[in-house]
Structure formats: structure tokens, C-alpha cells
Amino acid sequence: SSSSSSSAAASVSILGSSAPSFSASSSSSSSSSISVNRSSSSLSLDKPLLSSQSSSAAPTQRSTPVFTHPRAANAILVNQRQRGNPVLKHIRNVLYDFADVVPDYLLGGHTAALFLSLRFHLLHPEYIHRRFKEMQRQYKIRILLCLVDLEDTFKPLQDVTKIAYLNDSTLILAWSYEEAGRYLETFKAYENKPADLIQERVESDIMAKLTDSLTVIRSVNKTDVITLASTFGSFKSIVEASVEDLCLCPGLGQKKVQRLHQCFNDPFLPHSSALPTKTTTTAEPPTKKAKTGKNTSNGSTSAAAKPSTIR
């Protein structure tokens, strides 16, 4: 009973005290430490152990350094080596400021970009390898923004694509400095936006789904869809309608009617009529074998070939 009361007192003192008091109480008696580990406060006592394990495993994961730049929240942080890059002239919708950062463009707490020109890559192929080595494994989103300023781009782009793949980064190609600047602005503007903002919005209304399906056909607009829906009442009736029935709809000309009818009645495989001819040609090899049996020196084969000659 005395040991249980001392362990309870030790647990109360541990919950109400800081880490130094825990070390003093744990060194007082081994029985009290065992009873504390069995109590419900073991979760709070195990926190230093978990933090030490996570700190040891932290180097294997990607870590993002903390920047104390005053404009890091609403501006693109640009490396000093990018000063004079024509891309900066086309960054107009987002603020940017020069800072001592590792990547060329720091677009957020987890997003970084490196800029590379194909012409510069041909002159200095080791540059991009050194830059990726300096970045190490930081940042969740790693972007390689490549400016295509060459006419013969097959071999250089093949090399750059391989480099981006091996360094676990996304390759984005831009054919002008203005396009490259727009990409940087977009990444910064959508830094804290959800993914639903750029996804396609699919309407749950039946009329909206019917409009999306029928307007794929050339020259069919939303007004034609409303006319077809009010005339036939369902999508099945529109598909099964004849040319004469479609011509009765106001606003539908001859070309629209033909395109609608062809879309619903033409086969998906345009060469499906040639399939039966392929099956007839496969039956020819057995007849050739029967004819070649006449030239053999065996008497049984020549005897078997006589009825065919009589026929």
C-alpha cells in the first residue's frame, strides 16, 4: 500500500511538473518508474522517446528550411544569380524580391524551381547537376523550368528529361521568357489554393450532362440541345430518331441532322466490313497442302489424291 501511494504521488508530481522533475523522480526509486509507465500518463512520458526517434529519421525525409524573410509569404524569393534574367520582367501579377535562397525561385514553403536554358545547357552541361546537388532532397515540389531556345531540341530535351526524372522533379517547358514568367506567377498564386479550384466542374443536372454530351458534335449548340430535349423527351429517343424526325426540329439544318445521325449510327470501327474477308483467306492453306500431296513418292498419298482428280 505504501508503494502504491508513493507511485500515485510520483505520477501526480510528474503530470504537474516539467521534464527536470521527471528525471529526479525517476531516479528516486525503480518501483515508482515502473508504476508510472503502467498508468495512463505513459503517453505523455513517451513523447521524448518518440521525438528522439523522429529526429533520427528526419534526414531520410524531405525537410523544408524555415525562412524569416519579411516578404516570403506573399512574394517570390529570387536567388541573386538570377538578377538580370529576362524572366523577371514578365512577373507582373506577383511580387518578387531577392534573397539568399538555394533554389533559383522559391515559390512557397514547399515549392522551389530551377531555371535552365537549353542553349546554356549545351555550353555548360554540368551546371544543372551541381544545382540539384546543392538543393539536396529539400522541398516537396521541385520544378525544373526549361526555356526552349534552340531549333534542334531532340537530344537536349532528352538529356534534360532524364536529369529531371532522376532528381525527382517536374519538368516544365517554356518557349519564351513571357511564358516562363507566367508559370512562376501561377505557382505562387495557387500556393494556398485547394486542388478543387483547378479541377473540372461537372454539373449534376441532367440537362447540363445532356448539353455536354451533344455539344461535342460539330455545329450543335446549347439552343439545339434544348430543342432536341423538348421534342424527343429523352436521350434514348434522340439517338433512335430518324433523319426525317430530326429535320422536323426547328433550327436544325440538313448538315446538323446528318452529323447527328452519323454520330449515333456509324460503327465505331470504320473497317469492320473488311473483317469477313480475312476469315475466308485463312481457309486457303489446307487446300494447298492437299495439292502438294500429289507430288510425293508414297503410294498412299497418291491413292488418296485420285478421288480428288476424279471429282
Side-chain angles (χ1 to χ4, degrees):
S1 62
S2 60
S3 62
S4 62
S5 61
S6 61
S7 63
S11 63
V12 171
S13 63
I14 289 169
L15 291 175
S17 60
S18 59
S21 63
F22 168 69
S23 62
S25 61
S26 61
S27 62
S28 60
S29 61
S30 60
S31 61
S32 62
S33 62
I34 295 174
S35 61
V36 169
N37 289 331
R38 292 180 179 178
S39 63
S40 61
S41 64
S42 60
L43 294 176
S44 61
L45 297 178
D46 290 338
K47 283 184 179 180
L49 297 177
L50 295 177
S51 62
S52 61
Q53 294 176 359
S54 62
S55 62
S56 62
T60 59
Q61 299 177 356
R62 291 183 182 177
S63 60
T64 303
V66 179
F67 295 97
T68 58
H69 198 274
R71 302 176 65 182
N74 55 358
I76 300 176
L77 299 184
V78 185
N79 195 315
Q80 294 291 342
R81 70 179 67 201
Q82 292 295 314
R83 190 182 295 272
N85 194 333
V87 176
L88 300 176
K89 298 179 181 179
H90 301 282
I91 301 178
R92 304 184 182 94
N93 300 324
V94 178
L95 299 176
Y96 69 89
D97 195 1
F98 294 96
D100 187 11
V101 293
V102 178
D104 293 336
Y105 300 94
L106 185 62
L107 305 174
H110 305 279
T111 307
L114 293 178
F115 181 81
L116 180 66
S117 170
L118 283 184
R119 190 182 301 274
F120 183 83
H121 177 67
L122 292 180
L123 298 176
H124 306 279
E126 74 284 350
Y127 168 78
I128 190 62
H129 295 281
R130 186 176 69 254
R131 295 292 289 132
F132 273 117
K133 188 176 181 179
E134 292 174 358
M135 285 182 59
Q136 299 179 358
R137 287 294 175 181
Q138 299 176 354
Y139 311 105
K140 293 181 179 179
I141 303 176
R142 299 150 57 90
I143 302 167
L144 178 57
L145 183 59
C146 181
L147 177 65
V148 182
D149 52 356
L150 293 176
E151 295 182 359
D152 188 9
T153 60
F154 180 76
K155 186 62 175 65
L157 283 181
Q158 188 179 13
D159 189 18
V160 171
T161 303
K162 182 179 178 181
I163 295 172
Y165 176 77
L166 293 177
N167 289 276
D168 195 15
S169 61
T170 302
L171 176 62
I172 296 180
L173 302 179
W175 272 259
S176 64
Y177 288 104
E178 184 178 2
E179 185 180 0
R182 291 293 301 274
Y183 280 128
L184 295 175
E185 289 179 351
T186 304
F187 273 104
K188 184 60 181 178
Y190 287 86
E191 176 186 3
N192 299 320
K193 300 295 179 62
D196 300 338
L197 191 63
I198 60 176
Q199 290 180 350
E200 182 182 3
R201 298 180 181 178
V202 180
E203 305 251 346
S204 59
D205 188 11
I206 298 177
M207 194 62 190
K209 294 181 179 179
L210 183 63
T211 303
D212 293 337
S213 301
L214 294 180
T215 50
V216 177
I217 304 173
R218 185 179 177 184
S219 72
V220 177
N221 51 32
K222 296 181 179 180
T223 306
D224 299 331
V225 175
I226 296 174
T227 303
L228 292 171
S230 60
T231 303
F232 297 99
S234 64
F235 182 74
K236 181 180 179 181
S237 301
I238 297 174
V239 174
E240 296 177 351
S242 61
V243 178
E244 291 78 10
D245 296 335
L246 293 173
C247 290
L248 296 177
C249 296
L252 294 180
Q254 186 177 1
K255 291 184 178 180
K256 289 184 181 181
V257 171
Q258 289 179 356
R259 288 169 182 169
L260 281 170
H261 191 266
Q262 289 177 0
C263 180
F264 297 140
N265 295 276
D266 286 353
F268 290 102
L269 299 176
H271 301 288
S272 60
S273 59
L275 294 177
T277 59
K278 295 182 180 179
T279 57
T280 56
T281 56
T282 55
E284 294 180 2
T287 58
K288 293 181 181 180
K289 291 182 180 180
K291 292 180 182 180
T292 55
K294 295 180 182 180
N295 298 328
T296 56
S297 60
N298 193 0
S300 60
T301 55
S302 62
K306 286 182 180 180
S308 61
T309 56
I310 294 173
R311 289 180 184 177

